[in-house]
């Protein structure tokens, strides 16, 4: 018996190691696989999830647990969250920030991410973690340039000059000192040991992928060939760097697709050809992009849906061409009558979600490389605090970051019809996963 026992010991691989290795989300040709079977994302954007996980005053762990349980009950299996924010003078950025200054990271807020990841693991949910932001609402790349170029961080909510903002922010990619600090942050997070679970992030299958940034763009709509080349190189180099630190996880860019690629399809394809980018991402924003007038839906709905349907499908075709999965990791629509009031209806939003889900589930069922969705964004129990709907430090955090009215795109826990659509779609995608 002793001999048999020792022979068994020879071959025994600790269950957790074997399970963990096999349990990472992997790319299997043009789909995701997890635990040996196909895996689809039925996800939520939850940018503030790590903030709720903090033990400090900005945190609200009781609310976080409730939000995760409500999302889980709705069939949501993945959340997309912000890992770090940078302290900035720009008024429409979230406060407090994770990074007070280069190299100075708030351990309390970073522990919020630990708590979130630990709680997601308990619910068999995964997380996409983005490591920077092209937009000002978390400081982001603009704040890096304030640190290292000395340029004033101009909040586009104040200047209203988004073209100028985008052209300047894209200088982040070519600023060596900013890239140095950005890589310090990447290393700090990717090599972090979770203070709740004791697990290294790099060894934790709860993490689905590392994402370079939220909506990185090459510049503005008139980005030059040179700016585009710098952007393509930045994506490849940064993704390669993350893979050098972490052999287990996927890496994605956080791109919006054409809208985030100066409407240049060649650029979008070229930027994601690198072997270091494991899957594609895209975002769909009919209101932000001026395709729909929320105050005149009757006259603009058809045109907006034509453009949306094309946008939804053409990116799945790009993914087919590249032989990689693609996730629609952001889409949203405001409340009826362009209201921010939680009491306003969501008829138009629900119609839009229905159109989006129809394209996703139809093409997924055909075996096309659409690997799931994350709607923007989970508002849950959060409630707007001010009559003008703008966020102030100390107010509830919700799906709408501080640069937007609180209630613009958030799906609240009382939005039963929208949550029902999400639950139904999650179930349809779950049905496509097979051994
Ligand atoms: O990443 C983003 N995409 C669109 C959201 C809604 O406008 C916005 O809040 C966020 O910056």
């Amino acid at each position: 018996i002793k001999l048999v026992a020792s022979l068994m010991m020879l071959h025994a691989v600790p269950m957790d190691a074997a399970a963990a290795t096999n349990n990472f989300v992997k790319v299997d040709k043009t789909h995701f696989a997890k635990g040996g079977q196909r895996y689809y994302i039925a996800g939520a954007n939850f940018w503030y999830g790590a903030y709720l996980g903090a033990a400090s005053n900005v945190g609200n762990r009781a609310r976080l647990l409730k939000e995760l349980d409500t999302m889980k009950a709705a069939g949501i299996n993945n959340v997309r969250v912000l890992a770090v924010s940078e302290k900035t003078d720009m008024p429409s950025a979230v406060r407090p920030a994770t990074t007070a200054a280069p190299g100075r990271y708030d351990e309390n807020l970073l522990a919020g991410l630990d708590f979130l990841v630990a709680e997601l693991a308990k619910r068999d949910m995964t997380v996409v973690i983005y490591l920077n932001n092209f937009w000002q609402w978390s400081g982001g790349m603009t704040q890096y340039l304030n640190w290292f170029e000395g340029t004033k961080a101009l909040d586009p909510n104040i200047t209203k000059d988004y073209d100028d903002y985008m052209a300047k922010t894209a200088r982040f990619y070519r600023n060596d000192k900013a890239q140095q600090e950005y890589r310090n942050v990447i290393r700090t997070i990717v090599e972090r040991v979770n203070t709740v679970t004791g697990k290294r992030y790099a060894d934790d299958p709860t993490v689905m992928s590392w994402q370079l940034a939220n909506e990185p763009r090459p510049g503005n709509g008139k980005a030059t060939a040179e700016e585009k080349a710098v952007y393509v190189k930045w994506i490849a180099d940064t993704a390669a760097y993350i893979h050098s630190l972490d052999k287990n996880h996927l890496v994605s860019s956080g791109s919006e697709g054409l809208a985030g690629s100066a409407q240049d399809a060649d650029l979008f394809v070229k930027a994601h050809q690198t072997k270091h980018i494991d899957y594609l991402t895209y975002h769909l924003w009919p209101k932000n992009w001026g395709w729909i007038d929320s105050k005149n839906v009757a006259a603009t709905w058809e045109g907006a849906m034509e453009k949306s349907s094309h946008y939804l499908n053409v990116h799945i075709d790009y993914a087919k061409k590249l032989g990689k999965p693609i996730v629609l990791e952001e889409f949203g629509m405001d409340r009826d009558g362009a209201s921010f009031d939680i009491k306003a209806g969501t008829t138009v939003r629900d119609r839009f979600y229905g159109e989006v889900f129809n394209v996703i589930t139809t093409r997924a069922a055909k075996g096309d490389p659409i690997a799931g969705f994350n709607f923007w964004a989970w508002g849950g129990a959060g409630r707007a605090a001010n009559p003008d709907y703008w966020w102030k430090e100390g107010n509830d955090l919700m799906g709408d970051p501080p640069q937007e009215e609180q209630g613009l795109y958030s799906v609240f826990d009382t939005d039963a019809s929208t949550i029902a659509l999400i639950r139904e779609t999650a179930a349809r995608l779950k049905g496509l996963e097979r051994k």
Side-chain angles (χ1 to χ4, degrees):
I1 290 175
K2 269 201 185 128
L3 178 64
V4 170
S6 56
L7 279 174
M8 276 172 73
M9 279 310 290
L10 269 178
H11 298 289
V13 174
M15 234 341 260
D16 56 340
T21 318
N22 165 281
N23 211 19
F24 286 97
V25 179
K26 293 294 179 194
V27 167
D28 174 10
K29 299 190 187 76
T30 56
H31 293 90
F32 293 136
K34 182 172 171 33
Q37 73 169 38
R38 188 161 292 185
Y39 181 69
Y40 284 98
I41 301 295
N45 276 279
F46 190 43
W47 68 269
Y48 57 101
Y51 271 96
L52 291 186
S56 69
N57 47 5
V58 73
N60 184 338
R61 289 180 169 179
R63 180 185 163 198
L64 177 59
L65 301 184
K66 187 162 155 270
E67 301 291 13
L68 294 179
D69 288 341
T70 311
M71 283 192 262
K72 178 75 178 172
I76 292 166
N77 67 357
N78 171 276
V79 288
R80 178 172 174 258
V81 308
L82 174 77
V84 287
S85 50
E86 292 73 31
K87 190 170 189 298
T88 182
D89 292 338
M90 293 187 282
S92 67
V94 63
R95 289 155 168 81
T98 320
T99 306
R104 280 179 35 213
Y105 314 124
D106 180 327
E107 177 49 37
N108 192 300
L109 287 178
L110 289 182
L113 186 62
D114 298 345
F115 186 87
L116 172 69
V117 171
E119 289 301 323
L120 288 167
K122 290 179 189 172
R123 294 165 178 78
D124 194 23
M125 294 168 81
T126 57
V127 59
V128 173
I129 298 177
Y130 46 96
L131 297 154
N132 206 327
N133 196 349
F134 188 75
W135 304 113
Q136 82 280 19
W137 52 265
S138 59
M141 297 177 186
T142 304
Q143 184 46 45
Y144 276 85
L145 291 170
N146 172 256
W147 286 331
F148 296 107
E149 245 185 12
T151 42
K152 192 165 165 29
L154 295 174
D155 189 331
N157 272 28
I158 309 286
T159 64
K160 306 292 181 210
D161 187 343
Y162 274 87
D163 267 359
D164 178 60
Y165 174 87
M166 291 188 277
K168 283 180 177 154
T169 300
R171 292 204 307 249
F172 167 77
Y173 307 123
R174 64 178 78 212
N175 183 302
D176 294 344
K177 290 204 186 89
Q179 292 305 308
Q180 185 68 45
E181 170 54 20
Y182 173 53
R183 291 199 175 193
N184 288 342
V185 170
I186 291 173
R187 200 174 48 254
T188 300
I189 304 289
V190 174
E191 294 190 334
R192 183 174 174 84
V193 176
N194 188 310
T195 55
V196 175
T197 62
K199 246 185 207 178
R200 285 165 23 91
Y201 275 70
D203 295 334
D204 189 345
T206 313
V207 177
M208 170 181 150
S209 74
W210 299 111
Q211 194 163 88
L212 305 191
N214 177 52
E215 301 201 333
R217 293 190 175 191
N220 60 32
K222 302 180 208 67
T224 64
E226 199 253 345
E227 285 173 315
K228 292 176 181 177
V230 166
Y231 176 73
V232 169
K233 187 172 183 313
W234 172 77
I235 288 178
D237 291 353
T238 310
Y241 176 65
I242 296 173
H243 279 301
S244 76
L245 301 174
D246 175 347
K247 304 296 178 208
N248 292 318
H249 288 108
L250 306 178
V251 177
S252 58
S253 67
S255 170
E256 303 153 88
L258 288 181
S261 309
Q263 303 301 339
D264 178 344
D266 293 340
L267 172 62
F268 177 68
V269 171
K270 217 164 140 196
H272 294 86
Q273 232 152 14
T274 169
K275 66 177 180 186
H276 303 299
I277 289 291
D278 299 291
Y279 68 96
L280 309 179
T281 61
Y282 70 132
H283 303 179
L284 173 61
W285 288 106
K287 179 185 171 81
N288 293 359
W289 299 341
W291 295 354
I292 193 166
D293 175 354
S294 308
K295 292 205 159 103
N296 189 357
V297 174
T300 57
W301 172 263
E302 206 175 315
M305 286 311 109
E306 255 167 52
K307 288 179 181 148
S308 297
S309 173
H310 174 72
Y311 200 84
L312 285 166
N313 283 292
V314 76
H315 287 84
I316 299 172
D317 300 338
Y318 295 143
K320 230 174 186 172
K321 192 169 145 186
L322 282 168
K324 299 184 180 182
I326 188 166
V327 178
L328 178 70
E329 60 166 27
E330 282 191 22
F331 64 93
M333 186 62 74
D334 51 358
R335 306 183 82 87
D336 295 348
S339 170
F340 309 123
D341 188 334
I342 193 169
K343 293 191 291 299
T346 58
T347 319
V348 179
R349 174 181 292 172
D350 291 350
R351 261 180 85 191
F352 175 63
Y353 273 46
E355 297 280 335
V356 169
F357 288 152
N358 194 27
V359 171
I360 289 177
T361 52
T362 305
R363 295 225 35 196
K366 279 176 20 190
D368 287 337
I370 179 71
F373 67 88
N374 294 75
F375 66 91
W376 184 282
W378 185 256
R383 294 294 181 265
N386 307 309
D388 65 1
Y389 294 99
W390 288 103
W391 183 85
K392 292 187 179 63
E393 189 168 1
N395 291 161
D396 278 0
L397 294 169
M398 60 171 73
D400 306 298
Q403 94 288 8
E404 284 167 324
E405 292 87 349
Q406 303 296 286
L408 176 62
Y409 291 120
S410 286
V411 176
F412 295 109
D413 52 10
T414 48
D415 289 328
S417 57
T418 311
I419 293 172
L421 277 171
I422 293 163
R423 180 183 295 105
E424 183 192 311
T425 307
R428 282 165 72 183
L429 291 175
K430 193 87 190 132
L432 298 176
E433 295 175 353
R434 59 180 182 277
K435 272 282 181 205

